[in-house]
């Protein structure tokens, strides 16, 4: 590295770091220099190049940080050109005790609800694809053992692996696995208690999730309610955090409360609440209609002291996309629904990053 302190040779590394200390991470509330985000500083004459390594590729202020860095460094004496590369290194959830980690998986995110029919599987699929579109390495596990529907939503036939054995399949940039891949159409799964626990254990630990590299996030679509499957999941793997999906009605407070209480008893953090089917936006006139009411999930989040992660509009194309096996985030990325999924995925990734940071600080 060539550097100096005059206009001819460009700024010193100390001057560069001093300038970059003005950029704050909005979630960790510290500057990017003290957080260790600034890497590989290179100065050659008036040319300055460096890398900013964030804790998730789904950072909502990624572009803002880059623009701030370019502006701050361009104002330094002797700087003629600035090149800032943005990268990410997702830290692994590493609790000091509890279930053994899933090999090759850095963070497990559980998507849950207390009752069926709220669109939990649709949310799981689209969140996984959204995280992948941000540049993360993502897996999606269908843990609804008795009623798997993820295969249909990602365009794969039920039972297509019945004769070869279950393994993750790449779809839309996501590694997907479901017991539905090995169940032939019409075959019912009648499992209870220990059998469900054994099935969950195999789905987590016996599949090659990291065959070609670690996953940043494994999104798990849990069955509705407080059944054996979510309890077995928490006992078999360290879940970084849970996301509660509910609907706008006032009864959502009661449903969300039950789901949150379950995860609290299982010592699983809850990242927040999503309101699905929040409102209907007319595709012809743009008028908004609150078909099922509005605000129940936000009220539930406030009552429970949780983050409200976002509201997903009611849109017929979401249902059509699921039936046709192409998630709305993939099919129509510019739609209001897809954009909301992208924004929610950023908030969830930010929550996971904050948790990793404080875990590391506690260990240190």
């Amino acid at each position: 590295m060539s550097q100096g302190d005059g206009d001819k040779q460009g700024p010193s590394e100390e001057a560069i770091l001093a300038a970059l200390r003005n950029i704050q991470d909005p979630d960790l509330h510290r500057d990017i220099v003290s957080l260790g985000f600034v890497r590989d500083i290179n100065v050659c004459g008036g040319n300055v190049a460096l890398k900013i390594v964030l804790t998730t590729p789904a950072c909502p202020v990624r572009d803002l940080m880059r623009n701030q860095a370019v502006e701050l460094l361009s104002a330094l004496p002797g700087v003629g050109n600035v090149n800032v590369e943005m990268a990410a290194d997702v830290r692994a959830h590493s609790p000091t005790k509890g279930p053994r980690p899933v090999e090759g998986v850095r963070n497990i995110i559980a998507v849950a609800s207390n009752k069926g029919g709220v669109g939990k599987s649709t949310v799981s699929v689209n969140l996984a694809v959204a995280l992948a579109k941000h540049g993360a390495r993502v897996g999606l596990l269908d843990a609804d053992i008795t009623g798997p529907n993820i295969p249909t939503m990602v365009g794969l036939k039920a039972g297509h692996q019945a004769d070869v054995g279950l393994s993750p399949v790449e779809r839309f940039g996501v590694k997907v696995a479901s017991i539905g891949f090995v169940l032939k159409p019409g075959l019912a799964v009648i499992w209870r208690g220990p059998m469900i626990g054994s099935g969950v254990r195999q789905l987590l630990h016996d599949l090659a999730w990291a065959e070609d590299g670690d996953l940043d996030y494994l999104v798990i679509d849990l069955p509705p309610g407080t059944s054996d499957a979510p309890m077995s999941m928490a006992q078999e793997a360290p879940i970084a955090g849970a996301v509660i999906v509910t609907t706008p009605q006032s009864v959502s407070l009661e449903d969300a409360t039950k789901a949150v209480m379950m995860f609290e008893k299982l010592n699983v953090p809850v990242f927040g609440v999503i309101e699905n089917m929040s409102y209907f936006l007319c595709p012809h006139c743009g008028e908004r209609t609150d078909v099922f009411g509005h605000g129940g999930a936000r009220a539930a989040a406030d009552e429970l002291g949780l983050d409200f992660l976002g509201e997903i509009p009611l849109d017929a194309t979401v249902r059509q996309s699921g039936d046709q096996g192409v998630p709305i985030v993939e099919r129509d990325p510019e739609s209001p629904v897809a954009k909301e999924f992208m924004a929610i995925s950023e908030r969830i990734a930010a929550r996971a990053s904050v948790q990793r940071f404080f875990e590391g600080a506690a260990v240190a």
Side-chain angles (χ1 to χ4, degrees):
M1 181 178 71
S2 172
Q3 63 180 40
D5 54 9
D7 288 1
K8 292 182 180 181
Q9 293 184 314
S12 66
E13 182 171 319
E14 289 74 16
I16 291 171
L17 293 174
L20 295 177
R21 288 184 187 278
N22 292 292
I23 303 176
Q24 296 280 321
D25 183 286
D27 296 306
L28 299 177
H29 307 293
R30 284 175 53 184
D31 67 89
I32 62 173
V33 175
S34 65
L35 288 169
F37 291 177
V38 181
R39 316 267 181 88
D40 302 338
I41 298 175
N42 185 37
V43 181
C44 183
N47 299 316
V48 176
L50 56 86
K51 183 184 293 185
I52 298 177
V53 182
L54 304 175
T55 54
T56 175
C59 178
V61 294
R62 177 190 182 101
D63 293 336
L64 176 62
M65 280 190 180
R66 182 187 181 281
N67 293 338
Q68 286 180 319
V70 170
E71 182 179 354
L72 289 166
L73 296 178
S74 297
L76 293 177
V79 174
N81 182 62
V82 177
N83 180 26
V84 177
E85 178 186 351
M86 303 300 293
D89 181 17
V90 178
R91 300 175 183 178
H93 176 45
S94 52
T96 56
K97 59 181 180 179
R100 68 184 175 105
V102 177
E103 185 177 352
V105 175
R106 297 181 179 179
N107 296 278
I108 295 176
I109 299 171
V111 181
S113 64
N114 190 56
K115 64 178 182 179
V118 300
K120 173 182 52 58
S121 294
T122 298
V123 170
S124 299
V125 171
N126 282 282
L127 283 180
V129 176
L131 286 167
K133 283 186 172 293
H134 280 300
R137 293 181 55 82
V138 185
L140 172 63
L141 173 58
D142 184 358
D144 195 346
I145 293 177
T146 58
N149 52 23
I150 293 296
T152 299
M153 293 185 171
V154 296
L156 294 170
K157 292 183 179 180
H160 75 280
Q161 292 181 339
D163 299 323
V164 297
L166 181 61
S167 62
V169 178
E170 181 100 5
R171 294 294 289 169
F172 314 112
V174 176
K175 297 181 75 170
V176 186
S178 169
I179 197 170
F181 291 175
V182 294
L183 295 178
K184 294 183 178 180
L187 181 63
V189 178
I190 306 175
W191 285 1
R192 296 293 301 231
M195 295 180 67
I196 290 179
S198 177
V200 167
R201 185 182 309 113
Q202 292 179 59
L203 288 171
L204 285 168
H205 296 292
D206 293 354
L207 297 182
W209 290 109
E211 191 171 34
D212 53 358
D214 285 1
L215 295 181
D216 297 318
Y217 307 101
L218 176 61
V219 178
I220 299 182
D221 178 29
L222 291 175
T226 55
S227 62
D228 292 328
M231 289 187 285
S232 296
M233 191 68 63
Q235 293 168 351
E236 291 296 337
I239 299 175
V243 176
I244 310 299
V245 180
T246 187
T247 48
Q249 297 96 323
S250 57
V251 295
S252 60
L253 174 58
E254 179 180 352
D255 291 323
T257 300
K258 291 178 181 177
V260 170
M261 289 179 63
M262 176 189 71
F263 284 114
E264 287 181 347
K265 290 181 179 179
L266 295 172
N267 295 316
V268 174
V270 177
F271 284 164
V273 181
I274 296 173
E275 181 170 277
N276 194 28
M277 296 179 278
S278 182
Y279 58 89
F280 174 69
L281 194 63
C282 178
H284 306 294
C285 67
E287 181 179 350
R288 171 173 168 157
T289 303
D290 296 335
V291 179
F292 302 115
H294 182 257
R298 186 185 292 274
D302 290 342
E303 181 76 16
L304 296 167
L306 300 173
D307 285 351
F308 180 66
L309 297 171
E311 50 189 33
I312 302 167
L314 178 65
D315 192 325
T317 59
V318 176
R319 191 270 306 164
Q320 295 166 2
S321 296
D323 290 346
Q324 294 168 5
V326 183
I328 190 68
V329 171
E330 179 72 23
R331 176 181 176 178
D332 189 2
E334 295 303 314
S335 66
V337 183
K339 289 181 177 179
E340 183 65 8
F341 273 123
M342 293 295 286
I344 291 173
S345 71
E346 292 174 351
R347 295 173 193 132
I348 293 172
R351 287 298 309 273
S353 293
V354 170
Q355 188 183 73
R356 298 297 77 71
F357 174 79
F358 286 110
E359 279 180 357
V363 172

